[in-house]
Amino acid sequence: MKLTPIVSFLLLTLLPVQAAAKEIVLDAKLHHLRAGAEREWSDFPLQAEGPSLTLRFQAERNAGEWTLRLRQQDVRQTWKVMLNGKELIRLPNDENDAVLFLPIPAERLVTGENMLAIEQIGKTPDDIRIGVIALDDRPVAEALSEASVEIDVAEAGQPVPCRLTIVNADGALMSVGAKSGGHLAVRPGVIYTSTGTARFGLPAGTYSIYAGRGFAYSLDSVRIQVKPGDTLRKSLSIRRVVLTPGYVSSDTHVHTLTHSGHGDSTIEERMVTLAGEGIELPIATDHNKQIDYQELAVKLGVRKYFTPIVGNEVTTPVGHFNVFPAPADGPVPDFKLKDWRAISANIQKTTNAGIIILNHPRDLHSGFRPFGPERFVAVSGERLDGFELPANAMEVVNSGAHQTDFMRTFHDWFGLLNRGVLLTPVGASDSHDVCRYIVGQGRTYVRARAVSSSPLPRRGVGSSASEIDTADAVDNLRQGRVMVSCGLLAEITVNGKYGPGDLVPSSGEVKVAVRVLGPDWAKADKIELFANGRKIRDAKIVSDGGKAGVKWQGEWRLPRFRHDVHLVAIASGPAVTELYWPISKPYQQTSPKVDRRNIGATGAVWIDADGDGQRTSAFTYAERLLKTHGAQKLVAALAGYDDAVAVQAASLLNARGIALDMEAARKAGEHVERGFQAFAEGWRDSEIARAKLK
């Protein structure tokens, strides 16, 4: 029925008209706050504006939910938002730059003057920026849904799990009108989708939207501008650009809020994020629990993208250890034990795990730092507390707990290898979160095959990721057939055929071929080659030119080694800081200086220079020399060996109460003098640390 103009006018005047949103800007600036006098980071000013922010403003009583909008940066400690003297909410612990939309429950505002305060709980130094604060008289869901956006992401024309990052015109993560559930995991400015499709609301404005799938994939992006009432659909395309045939991507350190009790990622969200970051072999390592992802992964339709393994982060007072495989319905190791021998025996008794990883060895937990100088002389791999390491692997990269000096844990590993403690290097994320610390950002590429025994394919969504031979992968991990990645990947081939975990037969000249790989959005500027922990070759990567795939490749020809050594290549570059995959600042920093790096490292390749078919450590050589020549002639006998053997010899002499003869070391050769000096400095650091404990 056609309406006459008069009837149309009457209907329009009788229909309810939605009132325009009212916004009250409380503060248009960002403010630098800090509780305590000590500066946390050098990229903040020496002096903060103050320890808290207080705003007084006029408003009216809110009969229904209103919205508080604010922008935060670098929030690591606990900060609370107070409204009229009562706690309204706590800011999320997240260093990323984000715009938050927070609910103000009905009747929390009063007519007249109101007071908003933001202050830290506790006094741990925490430099933050907070501000650009406004009130909106609509509920959060309405404020975030002025426009509707749908994004589809594909690889080779097929939908692909991925991460979407939504950034506003000011470069901050923008909260969106969507909730986690089903195929989505949602946080401010970040949406993981297991189907490649996401529909969400946005306030009117201009945004950049990025689609990616972790380290091995390209990025695609689109810039949009939306007005109230708009409906917009965009399609993006990504592809795998870092090829790792014969290797699978593993994160050996994965948590959930559901079972670990902290962080923010539910187990359902974790399934989506694993698929979205391209992790093919995830290890479930909730604290002191053995959780099986299998059933839930099938239910949520993501099992085809990965093969999960049941593990456990055995969280003891004397260190944290990831163990796997472990039976989901089996006994849990005793996590109250305080002796490494007892812990090792108990783990084997309860789980018979093939892999035991020492986690974040430089971090302090429960007053215990596994590789603290009071317990450990890093340069010689020597323990001072009598503990015997109950592990066959260690984290050299933990992207949720970076070190101030990213090489610190690598040097620890080198010292242990030289001591004769054979450990596989591991990269992991330690992620408890959806996006604060990205799952799989630190990862380990493990040599593996599909259940069918055929090599895993180079590419293809899902491919054989659901059919990984876990026994084969665990065995290869134990043997050191790995590469460690956090933004880069380094490959090493010795004499044309040997790689990480291999023992290279005795030969003449040693040919070492190295490649550095990464996506076009991650940069590399340096590659270094280490023999027994000492840098022997390096090259600058002047410009990778935004290359995707192989960023650098080269070959070094090394003269014949006179004794066994382990070779390791490490690539690095300026860290990814863009919000589509930001690498975090150090966790327990030792300096306010900020120097984040992309990292890629190989496992160790051993050169069997003495031809005995064994991996002979520097410590073993030093022991033999001491037995053959005695303490008096030991130093001179070191002339035919390297720095690492000299370090171990110095350690043996020191253990016998024999003072180091630095003049004799100098006469034996520069490498002997360097080794003795390095041990002397390491021993002095340990003495100072032990003295502080008394």
Side-chain angles (χ1 to χ4, degrees):
M1 178 180 68
K2 186 176 181 180
L3 298 176
T4 65
I6 295 177
V7 173
S8 298
F9 174 77
L10 289 173
L11 285 173
L12 288 172
T13 57
L14 292 173
L15 287 172
V17 178
Q18 184 175 2
K22 182 173 67 177
E23 181 180 87
I24 304 173
V25 176
L26 307 186
D27 194 312
K29 298 188 300 181
L30 276 173
H31 299 272
H32 170 206
L33 307 182
R34 180 196 302 138
E38 185 179 351
R39 183 168 57 162
E40 183 187 21
W41 300 115
S42 58
D43 55 357
F44 278 83
L46 279 171
Q47 298 297 324
E49 295 179 37
S52 62
L53 177 66
T54 299
L55 301 173
R56 298 181 183 277
F57 61 95
Q58 297 293 316
E60 59 188 47
R61 184 180 69 87
N62 60 321
E65 179 186 298
W66 279 24
T67 297
L68 176 69
R69 189 188 75 231
L70 59 81
R71 183 178 179 183
Q72 70 167 48
Q73 297 173 353
D74 236 303
V75 176
R76 289 163 61 93
Q77 303 301 323
T78 303
W79 292 75
K80 61 183 178 180
V81 180
M82 306 285 290
L83 180 60
N84 294 328
K86 295 182 180 180
E87 185 173 322
L88 178 67
I89 202 167
R90 295 187 179 185
L91 298 177
N93 297 109
D94 196 336
E95 293 86 337
N96 293 315
D97 186 353
V99 177
L100 308 180
F101 284 61
L102 307 173
I104 301 176
E107 301 185 354
R108 289 295 299 274
L109 292 166
V110 299
T111 299
E113 185 177 80
N114 292 262
M115 184 176 73
L116 183 78
I118 299 173
E119 58 191 43
Q120 185 181 342
I121 298 174
K123 295 185 178 180
T124 302
D126 190 18
D127 282 302
I128 75 167
R129 292 187 181 91
I130 197 83
V132 194
I133 304 172
L135 289 178
D136 188 309
D137 66 355
R138 298 170 294 176
V140 169
E142 187 178 332
L144 287 175
S145 300
E146 290 183 330
S148 178
V149 177
E150 183 172 338
I151 302 293
D152 298 316
V153 183
E155 177 186 6
Q158 298 297 314
V160 61
C162 63
R163 167 184 164 130
L164 298 175
T165 306
I166 301 94
V167 177
N168 70 6
D170 294 323
L173 294 171
M174 172 54 67
S175 293
V176 299
K179 294 183 178 180
S180 293
H183 68 286
L184 299 182
V186 183
R187 292 295 182 274
V190 175
I191 301 175
Y192 281 97
T193 166
S194 62
T195 64
T197 298
R199 181 179 297 166
F200 52 95
L202 278 174
T206 301
Y207 304 96
S208 294
I209 301 176
Y210 300 88
R213 194 170 185 242
F215 164 73
Y217 277 74
S218 65
L219 282 170
D220 197 5
S221 64
V222 63
R223 188 171 176 84
I224 64 171
Q225 186 171 11
V226 292
K227 302 183 296 297
D230 280 354
T231 297
L232 189 67
R233 180 173 181 175
K234 294 289 183 180
S235 295
L236 300 175
S237 178
I238 60 176
R239 63 188 180 92
R240 182 155 187 175
V241 294
V242 180
L243 305 182
T244 57
Y247 284 80
V248 297
S249 57
S250 178
D251 190 343
T252 60
H253 199 162
V254 179
H255 291 278
T256 66
L257 169 65
T258 305
H259 296 291
S260 282
H262 61 290
D264 69 17
S265 177
T266 66
I267 191 168
E268 292 82 6
E269 290 174 318
R270 178 57 73 222
M271 300 303 100
V272 178
T273 59
L274 288 169
E277 287 292 333
I279 299 302
E280 298 161 315
L281 190 69
I283 316 299
T285 56
D286 280 303
H287 294 285
N288 305 316
K289 293 181 180 178
Q290 286 150 208
I291 306 300
D292 192 348
Y293 290 165
Q294 172 73 22
E295 184 176 345
L296 183 58
V298 171
K299 179 181 177 181
L300 295 179
V302 295
R303 177 62 178 80
K304 59 187 175 182
Y305 299 115
F306 55 77
T307 299
I309 293 180
V310 178
N312 181 339
E313 183 171 18
V314 184
T315 309
T316 80
V318 289
H320 298 185
F321 303 91
N322 279 349
V323 304
F324 60 91
D329 55 356
V332 173
D334 186 349
F335 53 86
K336 296 181 180 179
L337 295 172
K338 298 181 180 180
D339 175 81
W340 280 7
R341 287 183 185 272
I343 290 169
S344 178
N346 188 257
I347 287 172
Q348 292 305 319
K349 179 182 177 181
T350 54
T351 68
N352 195 32
I355 301 295
I356 304 176
I357 302 172
L358 174 63
N359 296 338
H360 37 69
R362 282 278 167 175
D363 289 350
L364 182 68
H365 293 285
S366 303
F368 184 90
R369 193 187 311 273
F371 286 177
E374 69 280 1
R375 300 179 176 277
F376 180 67
V377 183
V379 70
S380 60
E382 179 180 356
R383 292 214 66 84
L384 304 176
D385 54 13
F387 278 23
E388 185 176 333
L389 187 62
N392 50 21
M394 65 170 279
E395 289 181 349
V396 293
V397 171
N398 181 315
S399 59
H402 280 296
Q403 298 295 303
T404 299
D405 174 8
F406 84 90
M407 284 297 297
R408 179 62 273 169
T409 45
F410 283 101
H411 288 305
D412 292 337
W413 175 48
F414 293 152
L416 286 162
L417 291 180
N418 290 333
R419 195 72 177 183
V421 182
L422 301 183
L423 298 172
T424 296
V426 168
S429 74
D430 199 1
S431 175
H432 295 69
D433 314 282
V434 168
C435 63
R436 179 190 181 188
Y437 297 118
I438 300 171
V439 71
Q441 188 169 61
R443 60 177 67 186
T444 306
Y445 281 91
V446 183
R447 195 182 302 179
R449 62 172 181 259
V451 174
S452 63
S453 297
S454 62
L456 286 163
R458 288 173 176 260
R459 58 196 307 160
V461 183
S463 301
S464 297
S466 65
E467 301 176 350
I468 297 169
D469 185 333
T470 56
D472 174 63
V474 167
D475 181 62
N476 281 319
L477 181 59
R478 185 169 52 246
Q479 298 298 327
R481 300 182 181 116
V482 300
M483 297 176 287
V484 172
S485 175
C486 186
L488 292 172
L489 196 64
E491 293 180 345
I492 186 170
T493 305
V494 177
N495 291 346
K497 60 184 294 188
Y498 299 99
D502 291 342
L503 181 64
V504 181
S506 178
S507 64
E509 184 181 59
V510 177
K511 299 177 183 178
V512 181
V514 175
R515 298 201 308 169
V516 179
L517 297 88
D520 58 353
W521 44 270
K523 292 181 172 58
D525 62 16
K526 181 168 58 175
I527 178 69
E528 299 171 293
L529 180 66
F530 296 83
N532 276 3
R534 182 169 183 267
K535 184 171 67 175
I536 59 170
R537 297 287 188 278
D538 64 356
K540 290 183 178 180
I541 303 174
V542 178
S543 172
D544 63 34
K547 292 180 181 177
V550 179
K551 295 177 173 292
W552 182 92
Q553 59 184 335
E555 182 178 278
W556 288 299
R557 294 175 180 262
L558 309 177
R560 187 181 190 279
F561 289 99
R562 290 182 285 184
H563 56 79
D564 292 6
V565 299
H566 49 83
L567 299 177
V568 174
I570 300 178
S572 63
V576 178
T577 56
E578 290 81 359
L579 292 173
Y580 47 70
W581 212 69
I583 289 176
S584 64
K585 293 178 179 178
Y587 172 57
Q588 293 179 355
Q589 76 267 31
T590 57
S591 165
K593 182 180 178 181
V594 181
D595 183 22
R596 292 177 279 181
R597 302 287 286 173
N598 295 331
I599 308 164
T602 70
V605 186
W606 282 81
I607 308 298
D608 183 22
D610 61 18
D612 66 356
Q614 304 292 324
R615 294 169 174 82
T616 307
S617 70
F619 180 72
T620 298
Y621 284 120
E623 278 191 317
R624 290 176 183 173
L625 290 171
L626 179 59
K627 183 177 181 180
T628 300
H629 300 282
Q632 295 299 322
K633 297 181 180 180
L634 172 62
V635 179
L638 292 170
Y641 294 82
D642 69 359
D643 303 54
V645 178
V647 166
Q648 298 301 328
S651 172
L652 288 170
L653 291 173
N654 183 69
R656 287 160 174 75
I658 301 172
L660 300 185
D661 187 338
M662 300 305 294
E663 178 60 23
R666 185 185 64 78
K667 291 179 180 179
E670 290 184 4
H671 64 286
V672 181
E673 184 180 20
R674 282 196 304 266
F676 272 44
Q677 186 63 42
F679 176 78
E681 292 173 0
W683 183 257
R684 183 170 60 250
D685 290 344
S686 288
E687 284 189 313
I688 292 171
R690 281 177 288 158
K692 290 180 179 179
L693 296 178
K694 295 179 181 180

Short mmCIF file of all heavy atoms in Angstrom, two decimals, residues 243-286:
data_model
loop_
_atom_site.label_atom_id
_atom_site.label_comp_id
_atom_site.label_asym_id
_atom_site.label_seq_id
_atom_site.Cartn_x
_atom_site.Cartn_y
_atom_site.Cartn_z
N LEU A 243 59.52 -20.98 4.04
CA LEU A 243 59.30 -22.41 3.83
C LEU A 243 60.29 -23.21 4.67
O LEU A 243 61.48 -22.94 4.67
CB LEU A 243 59.44 -22.75 2.35
CG LEU A 243 58.56 -21.94 1.39
CD1 LEU A 243 58.75 -22.40 -0.03
CD2 LEU A 243 57.09 -22.03 1.80
N THR A 244 59.78 -24.23 5.35
CA THR A 244 60.61 -25.05 6.24
C THR A 244 60.33 -26.53 5.97
O THR A 244 59.82 -27.22 6.85
CB THR A 244 60.33 -24.71 7.71
OG1 THR A 244 58.93 -24.90 7.98
CG2 THR A 244 60.70 -23.28 8.03
N PRO A 245 60.62 -27.02 4.78
CA PRO A 245 60.31 -28.41 4.47
C PRO A 245 61.02 -29.37 5.42
O PRO A 245 62.21 -29.22 5.71
CB PRO A 245 60.84 -28.58 3.04
CG PRO A 245 61.83 -27.48 2.85
CD PRO A 245 61.33 -26.34 3.68
N GLY A 246 60.26 -30.35 5.91
CA GLY A 246 60.82 -31.31 6.84
C GLY A 246 60.83 -30.87 8.29
O GLY A 246 61.21 -31.64 9.17
N TYR A 247 60.41 -29.62 8.56
CA TYR A 247 60.35 -29.10 9.93
C TYR A 247 58.93 -28.63 10.24
O TYR A 247 58.21 -28.17 9.34
CB TYR A 247 61.30 -27.92 10.12
CG TYR A 247 62.75 -28.29 10.24
CD1 TYR A 247 63.51 -28.58 9.12
CD2 TYR A 247 63.37 -28.35 11.49
CE1 TYR A 247 64.85 -28.93 9.23
CE2 TYR A 247 64.72 -28.68 11.61
CZ TYR A 247 65.45 -28.98 10.48
OH TYR A 247 66.77 -29.32 10.59
N VAL A 248 58.53 -28.74 11.50
CA VAL A 248 57.23 -28.24 11.94
C VAL A 248 57.44 -27.18 13.01
O VAL A 248 58.42 -27.21 13.76
CB VAL A 248 56.33 -29.37 12.49
CG1 VAL A 248 56.02 -30.37 11.40
CG2 VAL A 248 56.96 -30.06 13.70
N SER A 249 56.52 -26.23 13.06
CA SER A 249 56.60 -25.15 14.05
C SER A 249 55.97 -25.61 15.36
O SER A 249 54.84 -26.07 15.39
CB SER A 249 55.89 -23.90 13.53
OG SER A 249 54.54 -24.19 13.22
N SER A 250 56.74 -25.48 16.44
CA SER A 250 56.26 -25.92 17.75
C SER A 250 56.41 -24.79 18.76
O SER A 250 57.39 -24.04 18.74
CB SER A 250 57.07 -27.13 18.23
OG SER A 250 56.66 -27.54 19.52
N ASP A 251 55.41 -24.66 19.63
CA ASP A 251 55.54 -23.82 20.82
C ASP A 251 55.49 -24.78 22.00
O ASP A 251 54.46 -25.40 22.27
CB ASP A 251 54.42 -22.78 20.90
CG ASP A 251 54.66 -21.75 21.99
OD1 ASP A 251 55.51 -22.00 22.89
OD2 ASP A 251 54.00 -20.68 21.97
N THR A 252 56.61 -24.90 22.69
CA THR A 252 56.73 -25.88 23.77
C THR A 252 56.29 -25.34 25.13
O THR A 252 56.45 -26.02 26.15
CB THR A 252 58.19 -26.35 23.90
OG1 THR A 252 59.02 -25.22 24.18
CG2 THR A 252 58.66 -27.02 22.61
N HIS A 253 55.71 -24.13 25.15
CA HIS A 253 55.37 -23.49 26.42
C HIS A 253 54.08 -22.68 26.25
O HIS A 253 54.11 -21.50 25.94
CB HIS A 253 56.53 -22.59 26.85
CG HIS A 253 56.52 -22.23 28.31
ND1 HIS A 253 57.64 -21.75 28.96
CD2 HIS A 253 55.54 -22.28 29.24
CE1 HIS A 253 57.35 -21.51 30.22
NE2 HIS A 253 56.08 -21.82 30.42
N VAL A 254 52.95 -23.36 26.46
CA VAL A 254 51.64 -22.76 26.18
C VAL A 254 50.73 -22.92 27.39
O VAL A 254 50.59 -24.02 27.94
CB VAL A 254 50.99 -23.43 24.95
CG1 VAL A 254 49.62 -22.83 24.69
CG2 VAL A 254 51.89 -23.29 23.72
N HIS A 255 50.10 -21.83 27.78
CA HIS A 255 49.21 -21.83 28.95
C HIS A 255 47.80 -21.38 28.58
O HIS A 255 47.56 -20.80 27.52
CB HIS A 255 49.74 -20.85 30.01
CG HIS A 255 51.01 -21.27 30.67
ND1 HIS A 255 51.04 -22.16 31.72
CD2 HIS A 255 52.30 -20.93 30.42
CE1 HIS A 255 52.30 -22.34 32.10
NE2 HIS A 255 53.08 -21.60 31.32
N THR A 256 46.88 -21.61 29.54
CA THR A 256 45.53 -21.06 29.45
C THR A 256 45.13 -20.51 30.81
O THR A 256 45.59 -21.01 31.85
CB THR A 256 44.50 -22.13 29.03
OG1 THR A 256 44.39 -23.12 30.06
CG2 THR A 256 44.88 -22.79 27.72
N LEU A 257 44.29 -19.50 30.80
CA LEU A 257 43.69 -19.02 32.04
C LEU A 257 42.86 -20.13 32.67
O LEU A 257 42.85 -20.30 33.90
CB LEU A 257 42.81 -17.80 31.75
CG LEU A 257 41.90 -17.33 32.89
CD1 LEU A 257 42.72 -16.84 34.06
CD2 LEU A 257 40.95 -16.23 32.40
N THR A 258 42.20 -20.90 31.83
CA THR A 258 41.30 -21.95 32.31
C THR A 258 42.01 -22.89 33.27
O THR A 258 41.46 -23.27 34.32
CB THR A 258 40.74 -22.75 31.13
OG1 THR A 258 40.12 -21.85 30.20
CG2 THR A 258 39.73 -23.79 31.59
N HIS A 259 43.23 -23.29 32.96
CA HIS A 259 43.90 -24.31 33.75
C HIS A 259 45.12 -23.81 34.53
O HIS A 259 45.53 -24.46 35.50
CB HIS A 259 44.29 -25.49 32.85
CG HIS A 259 43.12 -26.20 32.26
ND1 HIS A 259 42.25 -26.95 33.01
CD2 HIS A 259 42.65 -26.24 30.98
CE1 HIS A 259 41.31 -27.45 32.23
NE2 HIS A 259 41.52 -27.03 31.00
N SER A 260 45.71 -22.68 34.12
CA SER A 260 46.84 -22.14 34.88
C SER A 260 46.41 -21.07 35.87
O SER A 260 47.14 -20.75 36.80
CB SER A 260 47.90 -21.56 33.93
OG SER A 260 48.68 -22.58 33.35
N GLY A 261 45.23 -20.49 35.64
CA GLY A 261 44.68 -19.56 36.62
C GLY A 261 45.16 -18.14 36.52
O GLY A 261 44.77 -17.30 37.32
N HIS A 262 46.00 -17.82 35.53
CA HIS A 262 46.37 -16.42 35.32
C HIS A 262 46.60 -16.19 33.83
O HIS A 262 46.64 -17.13 33.04
CB HIS A 262 47.58 -16.01 36.16
CG HIS A 262 48.84 -16.77 35.88
ND1 HIS A 262 49.01 -18.09 36.22
CD2 HIS A 262 50.01 -16.39 35.31
CE1 HIS A 262 50.22 -18.49 35.88
NE2 HIS A 262 50.85 -17.48 35.32
N GLY A 263 46.76 -14.92 33.46
CA GLY A 263 46.69 -14.57 32.05
C GLY A 263 45.23 -14.30 31.69
O GLY A 263 44.39 -14.08 32.57
N ASP A 264 44.90 -14.33 30.40
CA ASP A 264 43.51 -14.06 30.04
C ASP A 264 42.94 -14.98 28.96
O ASP A 264 41.79 -14.84 28.57
CB ASP A 264 43.33 -12.59 29.63
CG ASP A 264 44.00 -12.24 28.29
OD1 ASP A 264 44.33 -13.14 27.50
OD2 ASP A 264 44.19 -11.03 28.04
N SER A 265 43.73 -15.94 28.47
CA SER A 265 43.25 -16.78 27.38
C SER A 265 42.54 -18.02 27.91
O SER A 265 43.16 -18.87 28.56
CB SER A 265 44.41 -17.21 26.48
OG SER A 265 43.96 -18.08 25.47
N THR A 266 41.26 -18.14 27.61
CA THR A 266 40.56 -19.37 27.94
C THR A 266 41.08 -20.49 27.04
O THR A 266 41.72 -20.23 26.01
CB THR A 266 39.05 -19.23 27.74
OG1 THR A 266 38.79 -19.05 26.34
CG2 THR A 266 38.49 -18.05 28.51
N ILE A 267 40.79 -21.72 27.40
CA ILE A 267 41.28 -22.82 26.58
C ILE A 267 40.63 -22.79 25.20
O ILE A 267 41.25 -23.15 24.19
CB ILE A 267 41.06 -24.18 27.28
CG1 ILE A 267 41.82 -25.29 26.53
CG2 ILE A 267 39.58 -24.49 27.47
CD1 ILE A 267 41.90 -26.59 27.28
N GLU A 268 39.37 -22.33 25.11
CA GLU A 268 38.72 -22.21 23.81
C GLU A 268 39.42 -21.15 22.95
O GLU A 268 39.67 -21.37 21.76
CB GLU A 268 37.24 -21.84 23.98
CG GLU A 268 36.37 -22.92 24.59
CD GLU A 268 36.46 -22.98 26.11
OE1 GLU A 268 37.11 -22.08 26.71
OE2 GLU A 268 35.89 -23.91 26.71
N GLU A 269 39.76 -20.03 23.56
CA GLU A 269 40.50 -19.00 22.83
C GLU A 269 41.88 -19.49 22.41
O GLU A 269 42.38 -19.15 21.33
CB GLU A 269 40.63 -17.74 23.69
CG GLU A 269 39.31 -17.00 23.90
CD GLU A 269 39.44 -15.85 24.87
OE1 GLU A 269 40.12 -16.01 25.91
OE2 GLU A 269 38.85 -14.79 24.61
N ARG A 270 42.49 -20.32 23.24
CA ARG A 270 43.82 -20.82 22.90
C ARG A 270 43.79 -21.67 21.64
O ARG A 270 44.71 -21.60 20.81
CB ARG A 270 44.38 -21.64 24.07
CG ARG A 270 45.74 -22.24 23.83
CD ARG A 270 46.78 -21.18 23.46
NE ARG A 270 47.17 -20.37 24.58
CZ ARG A 270 47.34 -19.05 24.52
NH1 ARG A 270 47.15 -18.39 23.39
NH2 ARG A 270 47.70 -18.37 25.59
N MET A 271 42.74 -22.46 21.46
CA MET A 271 42.64 -23.26 20.23
C MET A 271 42.62 -22.36 19.00
O MET A 271 43.26 -22.65 17.98
CB MET A 271 41.37 -24.12 20.25
CG MET A 271 41.26 -25.12 21.40
SD MET A 271 42.61 -26.29 21.51
CE MET A 271 43.59 -25.56 22.81
N VAL A 272 41.90 -21.25 19.11
CA VAL A 272 41.77 -20.33 17.98
C VAL A 272 43.10 -19.63 17.72
O VAL A 272 43.53 -19.48 16.56
CB VAL A 272 40.66 -19.31 18.24
CG1 VAL A 272 40.56 -18.30 17.09
CG2 VAL A 272 39.31 -20.01 18.42
N THR A 273 43.80 -19.21 18.78
CA THR A 273 45.06 -18.49 18.59
C THR A 273 46.16 -19.41 18.04
O THR A 273 47.00 -18.97 17.25
CB THR A 273 45.54 -17.83 19.89
OG1 THR A 273 45.72 -18.82 20.90
CG2 THR A 273 44.53 -16.81 20.39
N LEU A 274 46.17 -20.66 18.45
CA LEU A 274 47.16 -21.60 17.90
C LEU A 274 46.98 -21.76 16.40
O LEU A 274 47.95 -21.74 15.63
CB LEU A 274 47.03 -22.96 18.59
CG LEU A 274 47.53 -23.04 20.04
CD1 LEU A 274 47.10 -24.36 20.68
CD2 LEU A 274 49.04 -22.88 20.11
N ALA A 275 45.73 -21.91 15.97
CA ALA A 275 45.46 -22.01 14.53
C ALA A 275 45.81 -20.70 13.83
O ALA A 275 46.37 -20.69 12.73
CB ALA A 275 44.00 -22.38 14.29
N GLY A 276 45.50 -19.58 14.49
CA GLY A 276 45.73 -18.27 13.88
C GLY A 276 47.18 -17.88 13.77
O GLY A 276 47.53 -17.01 12.97
N GLU A 277 48.07 -18.49 14.58
CA GLU A 277 49.50 -18.19 14.51
C GLU A 277 50.29 -19.27 13.79
O GLU A 277 51.52 -19.20 13.72
CB GLU A 277 50.07 -17.98 15.92
CG GLU A 277 49.65 -16.67 16.58
CD GLU A 277 50.25 -15.43 15.90
OE1 GLU A 277 51.32 -15.54 15.29
OE2 GLU A 277 49.62 -14.36 15.97
N GLY A 278 49.62 -20.28 13.28
CA GLY A 278 50.31 -21.30 12.49
C GLY A 278 51.23 -22.20 13.30
O GLY A 278 52.28 -22.61 12.81
N ILE A 279 50.83 -22.54 14.53
CA ILE A 279 51.61 -23.45 15.36
C ILE A 279 51.14 -24.88 15.08
O ILE A 279 50.00 -25.23 15.36
CB ILE A 279 51.47 -23.11 16.85
CG1 ILE A 279 52.00 -21.70 17.10
CG2 ILE A 279 52.22 -24.11 17.72
CD1 ILE A 279 53.44 -21.50 16.69
N GLU A 280 52.04 -25.70 14.54
CA GLU A 280 51.66 -27.03 14.08
C GLU A 280 51.82 -28.10 15.16
O GLU A 280 51.16 -29.15 15.10
CB GLU A 280 52.51 -27.41 12.86
CG GLU A 280 52.28 -26.47 11.68
CD GLU A 280 53.38 -26.52 10.65
OE1 GLU A 280 54.57 -26.49 11.04
OE2 GLU A 280 53.06 -26.58 9.45
N LEU A 281 52.68 -27.85 16.14
CA LEU A 281 52.94 -28.83 17.19
C LEU A 281 52.93 -28.11 18.55
O LEU A 281 53.98 -27.86 19.14
CB LEU A 281 54.28 -29.52 16.95
CG LEU A 281 54.59 -30.74 17.82
CD1 LEU A 281 53.70 -31.92 17.47
CD2 LEU A 281 56.07 -31.14 17.67
N PRO A 282 51.76 -27.76 19.07
CA PRO A 282 51.70 -27.07 20.36
C PRO A 282 51.79 -28.06 21.52
O PRO A 282 51.25 -29.17 21.47
CB PRO A 282 50.32 -26.41 20.34
CG PRO A 282 49.49 -27.33 19.48
CD PRO A 282 50.43 -27.88 18.44
N ILE A 283 52.51 -27.65 22.58
CA ILE A 283 52.62 -28.47 23.78
C ILE A 283 51.82 -27.78 24.89
O ILE A 283 52.10 -26.63 25.23
CB ILE A 283 54.08 -28.62 24.23
CG1 ILE A 283 55.01 -28.90 23.04
CG2 ILE A 283 54.18 -29.69 25.30
CD1 ILE A 283 54.71 -30.15 22.27
N ALA A 284 50.82 -28.47 25.42
CA ALA A 284 50.01 -27.92 26.51
C ALA A 284 50.81 -28.01 27.80
O ALA A 284 51.11 -29.11 28.27
CB ALA A 284 48.71 -28.69 26.63
N THR A 285 51.16 -26.87 28.39
CA THR A 285 52.01 -26.88 29.59
C THR A 285 51.43 -25.99 30.68
O THR A 285 52.10 -25.07 31.18
CB THR A 285 53.45 -26.43 29.24
OG1 THR A 285 53.41 -25.13 28.62
CG2 THR A 285 54.13 -27.42 28.32
N ASP A 286 50.19 -26.23 31.05
CA ASP A 286 49.64 -25.50 32.18
C ASP A 286 50.36 -25.94 33.45
O ASP A 286 50.92 -27.04 33.54
CB ASP A 286 48.14 -25.75 32.29
CG ASP A 286 47.36 -24.89 31.31
OD1 ASP A 286 47.51 -23.66 31.37
OD2 ASP A 286 46.61 -25.44 30.49
#
